[in-house]
């Protein structure tokens, strides 16, 4: 048995079939609902989520085949097993074409029925897992086209095959994490772990223990030994995300680890070697941070061995068509929607937008386009409607994107929204990232009509 209790719906006009069936299922721990006609069954299906439906084929009024047709039209995907007294190959074939998962002949044995429930539900579970896995893998696929990116991909391949440290730079949403994972998966360490730490998301006082671990009693609250990320990444890749946000004190400790190849747990007595390849990423300009004195020059030289610079989407505008249509297909398949493509005018509109949130933002906009419009090919107007929050929709929608001032405002607003999301609406961090005073940041949001509180809620 699958162990879990399942909700079954049994449809048959013959109560002599229904009653013993329902009893057998209930005895086996399932929940069984019975219906003696298809019309009532359809009402039940509309209000209750069943795991599996058993239906007779020949019934007065609507029969089992029209049940299958109705479910298909309504887009309901609950598996249906047909049961029939007068087995007939033609009907069985029709039922299968309409999506029935099995066809059983009466008289029915309890064992056979319970086995069918188990098999169908296990298959469904596997299908769901498979879909989930494909979705997750799909999320990690790096899509590109065009010659400049081809050169970058070749560079990524070369660096992946080496053991060098890699520093990935690029604006928010350009795919830095995807590239870090790709480097790991194409390296000799692919069977080892890929462990990541976002230096901007962990409070300064916790970074050391997160990275290097701690011994029991190392500090108040250290109840037991904690294995740090560096140790977890042994024989794999340690991805230090947002390295530009690492506090200076921690930079000194990281430098020692990179120089000596050894780590020491907080409160530990001795250092020991670690074998993790270090890949770092940042959306900031590290050289500039070094000049400002917020990033150590010696650490910079240690990690900036092979720099990979991911261009912004504005600089890769010729790829927008490939990316937009890829995301449209992906979003449609994830939601079971019909696949739709962007018209050339729609692509043109996308291309003229500045994309401060880069590919991540493009993906979100594509999703919004598909949600908000329902035509066949996606039009320029559909795209305009999906961009209102960024100030280029509404009245500006149509042939032009507004005056220079309007466009600059739209750009500024988009940039602020992207930074807010990136920093989970932590105003101090956003202000720091943009080099603004906090009070100025609040004023700017107000001017541009950004309601930080409601943005934060919708995160
Ligand atoms: N080339 C690409 N192909 C497919 N999807 C992409 C690509 N680049 C980015 N994405 C999408 O954008 C999202 C963000 O990518 P990723 O997290 O790698 O960006 P990032 O540069 O690390 O951003 P941040 O600086 O905000 O952390 C991904 O989840 C993915 O959906
Ligand atoms: Mg990232």
């Amino acid at each position: 048995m699958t162990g879990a209790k399942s909700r079954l719906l049994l449809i048959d006009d013959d109560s002599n079939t229904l009653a013993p069936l329902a009893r057998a299922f209930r005895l086996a721990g399932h929940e069984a609902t019975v219906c003696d006609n298809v019309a009532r069954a359809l009402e039940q299906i509309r209000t209750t989520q069943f795991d599996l439906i058993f239906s007779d084929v020949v019934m007065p009024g609507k029969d089992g085949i029209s049940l299958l047709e109705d479910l298909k039209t309504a887009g309901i995907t609950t598996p249906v097993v047909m049961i029939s007294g007068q087995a007939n190959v033609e009907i069985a074939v029709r039922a299968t074409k309409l999506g029935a998962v099995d066809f059983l002949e009466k008289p029915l044995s309890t064992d056979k029925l319970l086995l069918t429930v188990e098999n169908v539900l296990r298959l469904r579970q596997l299908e769901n897992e498979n879909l989930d896995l494909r979705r997750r893998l799909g999320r990690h696929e790096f899509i590109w086209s065009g010659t400049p990116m081809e050169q970058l991909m070749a560079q990524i391949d070369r660096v992946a095959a080496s053991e060098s440290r890699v520093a990935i730079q690029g604006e928010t949403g350009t795919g830095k994490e995807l590239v870090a994972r790709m480097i790991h998966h194409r390296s000799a360490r692919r069977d080892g772990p890929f462990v990541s730490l976002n230096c901007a998301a962990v409070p300064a006082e916790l970074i050391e223990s997160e990275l290097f671990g701690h011994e029991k009693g190392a500090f108040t609250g250290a109840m037991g030994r904690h294995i740090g990320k560096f140790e977890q990444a042994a024989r794999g890749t340690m991805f230090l995300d947002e390295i530009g946000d690492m506090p200076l004190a921690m930079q000194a400790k990281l430098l020692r680890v990179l120089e000596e190849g050894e780590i020491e747990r907080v409160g530990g007595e001795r250092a020991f070697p670690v074998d993790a390849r270090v890949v770092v990423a940042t959306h900031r300009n590290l050289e500039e941070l070094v000049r400002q004195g917020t990033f150590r020059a010696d650490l910079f030289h240690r990690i900036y061995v092979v720099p990979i610079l991911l261009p912004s989407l504005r600089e890769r505008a010729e790829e927008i068509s490939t990316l937009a249509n890829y995301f449209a297909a992906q979003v449609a398949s994830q939601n079971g929607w019909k696949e739709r493509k962007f018209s050339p005018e729609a692509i043109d509109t996308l291309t003229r937008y500045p994309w401060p949130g880069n590919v991540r933002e493009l993906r979100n906009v594509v999703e919004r386009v598909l949600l908000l419009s329902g035509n066949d090919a996606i039009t320029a107007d559909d795209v305009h409607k999906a961009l209102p929050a960024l100030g280029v929709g509404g009245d500006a929608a149509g042939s032009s994107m507004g005056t220079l001032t309007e466009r600059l405002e739209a750009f500024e607003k988009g940039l602020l929204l992207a930074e807010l999301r990136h920093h989970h609406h932590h105003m101090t961090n956003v202000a720091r990232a943009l080099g603004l005073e906090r009070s100025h940041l609040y004023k700017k949001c107000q001017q541009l009509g950004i309601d930080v509180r409601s943005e934060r809620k919708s995160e």
Side-chain angles (χ1 to χ4, degrees):
M1 283 302 302
T2 48
K5 191 164 150 185
S6 308
R7 279 195 169 164
L8 312 175
L9 176 65
L10 317 173
I11 314 165
D12 200 317
D13 60 316
D14 178 5
S15 58
N16 290 334
T17 309
L18 279 183
L21 265 186
R23 211 169 30 244
F25 284 138
R26 286 179 190 136
L27 271 176
H30 300 295
E31 236 176 65
T33 304
V34 294
C35 270
D36 62 5
N37 70 72
V38 169
R40 198 159 312 140
L42 284 168
E43 273 168 35
Q44 289 274 356
I45 293 167
R46 240 166 254 132
T47 54
T48 311
Q49 176 78 46
F50 291 102
D51 297 309
L52 177 57
I53 300 169
F54 281 94
S55 174
D56 191 13
V57 179
V58 186
M59 285 178 276
K62 279 190 170 230
D63 63 6
I65 294 293
S66 51
L67 167 77
L68 289 173
E69 284 167 349
D70 286 358
L71 292 182
K72 196 167 181 182
T73 316
I76 295 170
T77 55
T78 313
V80 182
V81 173
M82 304 305 286
I83 41 181
S84 173
Q86 304 121 331
N88 166 328
V89 177
E90 208 180 305
I91 293 186
V93 169
R94 250 188 96 198
T96 314
K97 276 198 180 142
L98 282 166
V101 292
D102 208 345
F103 203 93
L104 305 179
E105 277 179 55
K106 291 181 190 173
L108 301 158
S109 89
T110 313
D111 284 351
K112 169 88 181 126
L113 276 170
L114 292 176
L115 192 66
T116 306
V117 173
E118 198 181 324
N119 285 343
V120 171
L121 296 181
R122 190 179 300 147
L123 186 69
R124 190 41 72 107
Q125 192 186 345
L126 281 178
E127 280 169 1
N128 285 341
E129 279 170 12
N130 188 5
L131 196 69
D132 190 46
L133 210 63
R134 284 216 315 265
R135 264 180 211 163
R136 272 190 282 154
L137 282 179
R139 260 211 346 247
H140 288 154
E141 202 177 344
F142 188 87
I143 306 300
W144 59 277
S145 67
T147 320
M149 281 310 266
E150 193 175 347
Q151 284 164 4
L152 193 72
M153 295 310 284
Q155 188 192 355
I156 288 171
D157 264 337
R158 267 197 310 276
V159 67
S162 77
E163 277 282 299
S164 313
R165 294 191 189 123
V166 185
I168 308 166
Q169 275 182 298
E171 290 180 14
T172 178
T174 45
K176 296 184 292 293
E177 184 165 349
L178 286 186
V179 167
R181 287 179 187 277
M182 191 155 63
I183 289 173
H184 172 73
H185 287 297
R186 294 182 182 187
S187 75
R189 294 171 172 266
R190 67 179 72 87
D191 294 328
F194 176 88
V195 180
S196 74
L197 178 89
N198 185 336
C199 306
V202 182
E205 61 279 12
L206 289 184
I207 287 198
E208 184 176 3
S209 114
E210 270 303 294
L211 261 188
F212 306 143
H214 61 243
E215 294 294 349
K216 185 174 173 181
F219 46 84
T220 329
M223 313 286 267
R225 170 188 279 180
H226 170 70
I227 303 296
K229 302 251 176 187
F230 248 104
E231 245 181 297
Q232 291 170 28
R235 288 179 303 283
T237 305
M238 177 70 237
F239 176 47
L240 295 170
D241 203 359
E242 302 302 354
I243 186 89
D245 293 76
M246 186 178 265
L248 272 167
M250 191 59 211
Q251 290 178 26
K253 293 183 174 147
L254 177 64
L255 177 69
R256 226 184 30 238
V257 170
L258 298 183
E259 277 172 346
E260 283 153 30
E262 288 190 332
I263 63 164
E264 199 170 323
R265 295 193 194 114
V266 179
E269 309 253 292
R270 57 176 189 94
F272 51 92
V274 276
D275 166 30
R277 179 197 196 171
V278 174
V279 174
V280 306
T282 177
H283 71 290
R284 295 162 177 260
N285 181 336
L286 279 184
E287 280 144 314
E288 183 59 38
L289 294 183
V290 171
R291 267 193 295 277
Q292 289 169 4
T294 50
F295 202 82
R296 292 179 69 111
D298 41 12
L299 179 60
F300 172 82
H301 293 299
R302 283 273 165 190
I303 58 170
Y304 212 71
V305 181
V306 183
I308 289 189
L309 185 64
L310 286 180
S312 68
L313 192 54
R314 289 181 298 290
E315 298 161 88
R316 313 157 49 186
E318 69 286 351
E319 282 185 60
I320 286 181
S321 164
T322 311
L323 284 162
N325 282 313
Y326 170 82
F327 290 138
Q330 195 186 43
V331 171
S333 101
Q334 281 170 3
N335 291 290
W337 298 336
K338 193 174 80 162
E339 192 176 327
R340 296 166 58 204
K341 288 216 178 301
F342 281 83
S343 69
E345 296 75 34
I347 294 294
D348 189 48
T349 310
L350 288 176
T351 309
R352 285 155 62 206
Y353 178 72
W355 301 111
N358 292 291
V359 187
R360 179 190 286 115
E361 188 185 11
L362 174 63
R363 193 184 190 286
N364 292 343
V365 167
V366 168
E367 195 162 345
R368 218 176 306 148
V369 167
L370 295 194
L371 268 172
L372 294 180
S373 67
N375 316 332
D376 275 347
I378 299 162
T379 65
D381 198 40
D382 294 337
V383 173
H384 277 299
K385 287 198 186 107
L387 295 170
L390 306 168
V392 292
D395 294 339
S399 56
S400 102
M401 296 211 348
T403 62
L404 179 63
T405 316
E406 281 167 346
R407 290 189 200 197
L408 286 175
E409 253 183 26
F411 181 76
E412 221 176 2
K413 186 168 179 178
L415 191 82
L416 271 184
L417 284 168
E419 283 292 330
L420 283 166
R421 259 191 311 258
H422 181 78
H423 291 280
H424 305 290
H425 300 89
H426 190 297
M427 297 302 268
T428 310
N429 290 353
V430 177
R432 201 173 46 175
L434 296 172
L436 295 175
E437 292 291 327
R438 241 170 79 98
S439 55
H440 188 185
L441 175 63
Y442 274 108
K443 214 185 287 162
K444 199 89 222 157
C445 288
Q446 214 173 16
Q447 268 168 12
L448 294 167
I450 300 174
D451 180 351
V452 179
R453 231 182 301 160
S454 69
E455 285 289 325
R456 191 178 286 142
K457 266 192 222 138
S458 67
E459 190 177 2

